[in-house]
Amino acid sequence: MKSIILTATLLAATSTAAFAYSPDARLRAQQNRIESGRESGEITWREGVKLRRQQADIMRTEANMRADGHLSRSERRTLQHMQDDASRNIAVKAHNGWQRVWWMPRFGR
C-alpha cells in the first residue's frame, strides 16, 4: 500500500514539474534571473540591456515561427538552443566580476 501511494506521489510530482516548465516558463525564469541580478548588482545596467534584448529576440523569433500555427521539431530545437545561449549569457554576465558600486543607486530598468 505504501509503495502505491509513494509511486502515485512521485508520478504526480514529476508530471506537474514537467508540465509547469514550458518554454514560456523558461523565458519568464530567465527574465527573473536578469531582474534579480540587476537588483543585487551582479548584472550592470548595460549587461541587463543586452540580456533583455536577447530575450526579446527569442520572443520575436518564436512569434515568427508560430505565425503558421505550428512549431516544427527543428524550430523547437532552434528555440531551445537560443534559450540555452541566453541562459549561459545570464550566468556569464552575473559572474564576470563587474558589479554596480554599492553606494550607487540602481537606475533604469
Side-chain angles (χ1 to χ4, degrees):
M1 184 66 172
K2 287 183 181 180
S3 65
I4 294 172
I5 294 172
L6 181 63
T7 304
T9 305
L10 288 174
L11 182 62
T14 56
S15 65
T16 56
F19 178 72
Y21 206 69
S22 67
D24 293 335
R26 183 173 183 188
L27 204 58
R28 277 193 305 275
Q30 288 177 352
Q31 290 170 345
N32 289 338
R33 285 174 55 201
I34 293 169
E35 290 308 312
S36 66
R38 286 282 295 130
E39 289 174 8
S40 69
E42 291 177 339
I43 296 177
T44 64
W45 178 80
R46 183 169 284 141
E47 291 170 343
V49 167
K50 290 177 183 178
L51 293 171
R52 282 191 209 92
R53 188 176 306 133
Q54 188 176 23
Q55 294 294 313
D57 288 342
I58 293 171
M59 288 188 288
R60 190 176 318 108
T61 302
E62 183 177 4
N64 289 339
M65 288 178 176
R66 286 186 187 269
D68 64 353
H70 178 319
L71 274 179
S72 68
R73 180 177 289 169
S74 64
E75 290 172 337
R76 283 193 305 268
R77 189 176 306 123
T78 300
L79 287 172
Q80 184 74 30
H81 287 306
M82 289 177 76
Q83 288 179 339
D84 290 343
D85 290 340
S87 180
R88 194 171 16 262
N89 287 342
I90 294 168
V92 166
K93 299 289 186 197
H95 297 96
N96 65 359
W98 287 94
Q99 288 191 342
R100 183 179 74 240
V101 182
W102 64 271
W103 50 266
M104 182 179 244
R106 178 179 177 231
F107 64 93
R109 188 173 158 220

